[in-house]
Amino acid sequence: MQRKFWKLSIFVFILTLVMTACSSGESEKASGNEDGKVTIKFHTHGNEASYNWKKTIAAFEEANPDINVDLVILSEKGDTQEAIKKLDLAAASGEQLDVLMFSDTASYAQRVSMGMVAPIDEFIEKEGYTVTDEYKVDTKIGDKYYALPGKFNPWYVLLNKDHLDKAGLEVPTDWTWDEFQTYAKELTTDDHYGTFFFGPQNGGWLEFMKLALASEAENTEFIKEDGSSNLENPLFKKTLEIRYQMEKVDKSAVPYTDIMSQKLHYRNQFFNQDASTVLIGSWMNTELGGTDQFPLEFNVAVAPYPKNTSDAEGGYTPVTTDFMAVANNSEHKEEAYKFIRWYTTEGQILQGKNIPSWNNVSNDQFGEIIDNILADTLNPEKVDKESLTNVLSNAKSSKLVSPVSYQAEIYKVVNEEYEKLIFDEQDIDETIKVTNERVQELIDSNK
């Protein structure tokens, strides 16, 4: 079923390309101005409140007076699923596409495989830089680059610093999963748990099934880069052991049954002080000092994503970013590339809404961005800025593994077998065996 869907998608897209080529004369008029300026269309899921587009685009156009940017916001509420559906529809109907923004790895990789996105290696080589030197996120798919990374949202561990102080614990600046488990155990009292894991849930939030895998530089997914199963990796087993030990033995993690039956959420658990630590993405930066919905009544600190061994290189963590790409059918690829290169560098600093993936951000600029983000919260003074800065400045993205088209089915399998483990219907070894067998069946049927 999945393969038929992607074949149909590719056919529709190729047909679109043919139709677009036939109407290139009309397209030329649409994208060019009589004054010699080039107009590029920029399709994004990001709304004005979250991305400050008016100020950002005006600054680009001032620096590049020969280019106009026509902003197309695909979802005013910032709904990424709504946005990607509208983008696919725009592509299928032959609308002008120049700059595309994708919010997640799967959406990005799938549109690359459909032929919607152009490789940008020629522009990178012409400019003479290396993506992995310039940016914290490596966006390569196969042997080509199709996007540059915008914001940098690494995962980290939120800490209730008041709980840590009461337990006599320091804010970790470098720690292992074993130490994370020890902290959670010592922080657990009659009033609250030591930690809260938000997933997995109905095939979603599978980051919580990759805990130890995600601490590595590469090979962090359930499927390897060569398309084979990664579920016999000892680090997948370690993740299951962490989850089972903390919930069933130490009783330091909120029970999975409670999470599902009571529909518990990480914001409520943390801000209501029901859990002392929460592993989550740094999109939470904008809420750390408290909001009207979730006021802050305690001091907050941040710790890095734990590593597997004390002598391992730290900093690796799941990372979300915005993938800034050039449309394959764009007639203005050079101008589109110029925009994404500017936006992912100077533009990120000027926008001031997120931590940039760009490595050439000065310490002063970095500190100013964090100050600006925290200033929009109710109690920025309750946030340990030093720990936050330390974590964000040292976090690193693992090597990107292109998602397979049937990834959702794999997630569903991993979720189902984890539930059997946590409900004591099978042990860890049986969970790994059955999960791997079911995933292998998916791999075989999708070849």
Side-chain angles (χ1 to χ4, degrees):
M1 192 71 184
Q2 287 280 343
R3 283 179 292 172
K4 289 180 182 178
F5 170 77
W6 290 116
K7 285 178 181 176
L8 179 61
S9 298
I10 293 170
F11 171 77
V12 170
F13 193 76
I14 291 173
L15 182 62
T16 301
L17 290 178
V18 173
M19 294 173 63
T20 303
C22 292
S23 60
S24 60
E26 294 180 10
S27 178
E28 187 74 32
K29 292 177 185 176
S31 60
N33 296 329
E34 293 181 1
D35 58 6
K37 290 185 177 183
V38 168
T39 295
I40 57 174
K41 290 244 184 188
F42 171 29
H43 288 71
T44 174
H45 62 274
N47 55 27
E48 175 63 26
S50 298
Y51 283 86
N52 205 6
W53 290 127
K54 291 178 183 177
K55 175 184 175 182
T56 306
I57 290 175
F60 172 79
E61 291 177 337
E62 184 178 353
N64 299 272
D66 57 332
I67 304 174
N68 285 333
V69 179
D70 185 0
L71 178 68
V72 181
I73 296 177
L74 296 164
S75 174
E76 288 295 342
K77 59 190 179 201
D79 184 326
T80 57
Q81 294 303 309
E82 176 189 10
I84 202 68
K85 288 177 183 176
K86 287 185 177 179
L87 179 61
D88 287 344
L89 183 61
S93 61
E95 289 184 26
Q96 179 187 342
L97 301 175
D98 297 296
V99 174
L100 312 175
M101 176 190 270
F102 300 104
S103 65
D104 62 275
T105 307
S107 297
Y108 164 52
Q110 286 165 358
R111 271 72 199 172
V112 167
S113 70
M114 290 165 61
M116 187 185 291
V117 185
I120 55 174
D121 300 82
E122 62 175 299
F123 300 114
I124 294 171
E125 290 167 9
K126 184 177 179 181
E127 203 173 337
Y129 67 92
T130 303
V131 172
T132 50
D133 289 339
E134 282 279 293
Y135 299 96
K136 292 182 172 68
V137 180
D138 188 359
T139 55
K140 182 183 282 188
I141 292 181
D143 60 353
K144 294 183 189 301
Y145 282 101
Y146 296 88
L148 297 177
K151 66 187 179 185
F152 181 67
N153 275 349
W155 280 50
Y156 50 30
V157 183
L158 293 181
L159 305 170
N160 183 317
K161 195 169 183 300
D162 291 2
H163 287 181
L164 260 69
D165 290 344
K166 190 173 182 179
L169 297 171
E170 298 291 326
V171 174
T173 56
D174 182 71
W175 60 344
T176 65
W177 283 110
D178 288 344
E179 290 168 325
F180 172 81
Q181 292 178 77
T182 299
Y183 262 62
K185 191 174 181 180
E186 293 186 24
L187 287 165
T188 300
T189 70
D190 292 337
D191 297 324
H192 56 260
Y193 285 93
T195 200
F196 173 81
F197 294 115
F198 191 48
Q201 293 197 32
N202 304 313
W205 292 94
L206 268 290
E207 292 90 348
F208 293 96
M209 289 285 89
K210 306 174 190 174
L211 300 180
L213 284 168
S215 299
E216 299 296 299
E218 55 187 21
N219 204 23
T220 60
E221 297 291 335
F222 300 132
I223 298 293
K224 298 177 186 176
E225 199 164 7
D226 63 5
S228 62
S229 172
N230 194 30
L231 294 173
E232 291 183 325
N233 188 319
L235 296 180
F236 177 61
K237 181 176 184 178
K238 179 172 181 173
T239 298
L240 296 179
E241 289 172 340
I242 291 171
R243 294 297 305 268
Y244 193 88
Q245 175 74 27
M246 296 186 74
E247 177 173 337
K248 296 292 189 173
V249 182
D250 297 343
K251 302 190 183 303
S252 60
V254 177
Y256 186 77
T257 51
D258 291 357
I259 296 169
M260 300 305 291
S261 63
Q262 299 176 35
K263 297 182 179 179
L264 301 179
H265 194 276
Y266 61 86
R267 286 186 175 89
N268 303 77
Q269 287 291 296
F270 186 68
F271 287 106
N272 291 344
Q273 303 193 64
D274 294 321
S276 300
T277 70
V278 172
L279 187 72
I280 202 65
S282 57
W283 57 78
M284 287 298 294
N285 290 345
T286 58
E287 303 175 44
L288 290 187
T291 62
D292 289 333
Q293 185 177 5
F294 296 102
L296 181 65
E297 298 176 353
F298 55 94
N299 293 295
V300 171
V302 179
Y305 197 84
K307 55 189 186 180
N308 288 313
T309 60
S310 58
D311 58 350
E313 181 181 358
Y316 289 107
T317 176
V319 169
T320 57
T321 188
D322 289 321
F323 295 91
M324 301 297 298
V326 175
N328 205 20
N329 67 345
S330 172
E331 297 178 5
H332 305 293
K333 289 185 175 66
E334 187 170 350
E335 290 84 0
Y337 169 78
K338 183 179 283 189
F339 176 75
I340 70 170
R341 175 67 168 144
W342 177 89
Y343 173 71
T344 58
T345 54
E346 300 169 46
Q348 284 287 287
I349 297 172
L350 185 142
Q351 193 174 57
K353 288 287 188 178
N354 295 288
I355 303 300
S357 291
W358 191 36
N359 281 323
N360 296 333
V361 179
S362 71
N363 290 335
D364 288 344
Q365 290 170 328
F366 195 85
E368 186 177 343
I369 292 171
I370 290 178
D371 285 339
N372 289 339
I373 292 171
L374 293 179
D376 287 336
T377 64
L378 296 179
N379 296 103
E381 74 282 354
K382 289 183 176 293
V383 179
D384 183 346
K385 182 186 169 185
E386 182 180 352
S387 68
L388 176 62
T389 303
N390 174 64
V391 169
L392 295 176
S393 59
N394 289 301
K396 295 188 284 285
S397 173
S398 305
K399 183 179 180 182
L400 186 150
V401 178
S402 302
V404 292
S405 60
Y406 50 96
Q407 180 167 283
E409 295 173 69
I410 291 175
Y411 281 5
K412 184 172 181 288
V413 167
V414 175
N415 197 150
E416 288 173 353
E417 296 305 321
Y418 168 73
E419 289 189 348
K420 293 176 186 176
L421 167 68
I422 213 67
F423 295 153
D424 292 319
E425 296 172 11
Q426 62 190 15
D427 62 19
I428 288 176
D429 288 336
E430 181 69 10
T431 299
I432 293 171
K433 177 178 176 292
V434 176
T435 306
N436 195 48
E437 287 174 351
R438 292 182 64 188
V439 167
Q440 190 59 52
E441 288 176 5
L442 289 172
I443 293 172
D444 293 341
S445 65
N446 281 277
K447 284 182 179 176

